[in-house]
């Protein structure tokens, strides 16, 4: 196990920002897909980005289990630390459940919509029944809103640390800076 430094490891930073960019894009496409003309073909992109998020998240979890993150600042109260850990845990769960529910809803045997990953190869549908696909559809929509709310809270918390508390919580997750230790 690699020891904690003052900053996140390069791998953790790379996983964080690549997943953050893909999730932001997918939330925007997902939330506005009804208003975007079908001819633009954004939903195949949404599906491909979602599968990429799933694969990256599995890699990120493996990384997280083998690399300890830096401690939260000691000045934070117990409830602030507990809230931060809870939000992070739910975000990890959503990073897995959202793509899988999207994959399941696209696997409805009554209306299968195979995923062609950025036009490179086809991803098979999952063995879903119409009921499972229907429930996955409901879950995908609901959890999409939950993810949007948590991402906004997460961003607000990072900005609070940087501009109000003036600690290193945001800076230690920024790329391009020299690692301590
Ligand atoms: C990080 C991953 C993902 C995020 C954040 C995400 C988010 C969303 C959101 C917010 C919506 C709009 C829900 C609504 O209000 O109607 C949506 C719709 C949709 N998503 Fe995803 N999604 C992800 C992954 C996937 C994947 C992997 C697939 C398929 C393989 C997928 C397939 C779909 C489909 C087909 C819809 C449209 C559902 C409908 O027609 O009502 N999504 N997604």
């Amino acid at each position: 196990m690699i020891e904690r430094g003052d900053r996140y490891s390069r791998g953790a930073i790379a996983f964080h920002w690549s997943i953050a960019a893909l999730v932001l894009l997918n939330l925007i496409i997902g939330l506005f897909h009804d208003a975007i003309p079908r001819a633009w073909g954004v939903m195949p992109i949404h599906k491909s980005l979602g599968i990429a998020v799933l694969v990256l998240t599995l890699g990120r979890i493996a990384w997280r289990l083998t690399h300890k993150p830096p401690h939260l600042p000691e000045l934070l109260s117990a409830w602030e630390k507990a809230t931060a850990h809870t939000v992070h845990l739910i975000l990890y769960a959503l990073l897995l459940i959202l793509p899988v529910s999207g994959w399941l809803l696209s696997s409805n045997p009554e209306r299968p919509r195979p995923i062609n990953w950025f036009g490179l190869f086809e991803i098979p549908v999952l063995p879903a029944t119409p009921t499972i696909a229907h429930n996955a559809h409901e879950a995908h929509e609901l959890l999409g809103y939950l993810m949007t709310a948590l991402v906004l809270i997460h961003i607000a918390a990072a900005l609070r640390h940087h501009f109000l508390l003036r600690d290193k919580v945001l800076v230690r997750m920024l790329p391009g800076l020299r690692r301590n230790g």
Side-chain angles (χ1 to χ4, degrees):
M1 178 75 76
I2 293 157
E3 280 310 307
R4 291 172 203 252
D6 291 345
R7 291 175 48 71
Y8 279 95
S9 60
R10 278 202 196 141
I13 293 173
F15 276 122
H16 178 274
W17 292 107
S18 53
I19 291 174
L22 301 188
V23 166
L24 268 182
L25 262 174
N26 246 12
L27 285 175
I28 293 168
I29 297 175
L31 292 174
F32 297 104
H33 78 276
D34 280 338
I36 303 172
R38 216 186 153 82
W40 289 14
V42 290
M43 281 326 272
I45 297 173
H46 177 86
K47 295 179 185 182
S48 299
L49 290 174
I51 296 294
V53 167
L54 179 60
V55 173
L56 283 169
T57 300
L58 292 174
R60 180 175 187 179
I61 290 172
W63 187 275
R64 175 67 177 72
L65 293 175
T66 49
H67 296 73
K68 286 211 172 216
H71 287 289
L72 283 172
E74 290 308 320
L75 284 178
L76 291 191
S77 64
W79 78 263
E80 284 172 314
K81 288 183 185 173
T83 309
H85 286 138
T86 307
V87 169
H88 296 164
L89 204 71
I90 300 175
L91 280 172
Y92 273 111
L94 289 179
L95 287 174
L96 294 173
I97 299 170
L98 257 174
V100 172
S101 61
W103 194 354
L104 278 171
L105 86 87
S106 296
S107 304
N108 190 337
E110 289 174 340
R111 205 159 65 99
R113 289 165 284 179
I115 305 154
N116 194 329
W117 201 74
F118 291 115
L120 296 176
F121 54 86
E122 198 147 292
I123 295 176
V125 291
L126 293 171
T129 62
T131 312
I132 291 177
H134 174 77
N135 291 338
H137 196 155
E138 301 280 309
H140 197 69
E141 290 190 11
L142 222 83
L143 296 177
Y145 294 125
L146 178 61
M147 174 75 117
T148 307
L150 288 182
V151 164
L152 291 176
I153 290 172
H154 183 74
I155 294 172
L159 295 178
R160 171 176 175 258
H161 277 285
H162 194 70
F163 292 109
L164 298 180
L165 305 178
R166 294 174 184 271
D167 58 29
K168 295 267 182 286
V169 166
L170 174 60
V171 173
R172 67 195 188 160
M173 188 48 111
L174 294 180
L177 298 170
R178 187 177 266 276
R179 255 196 94 187
N180 292 343

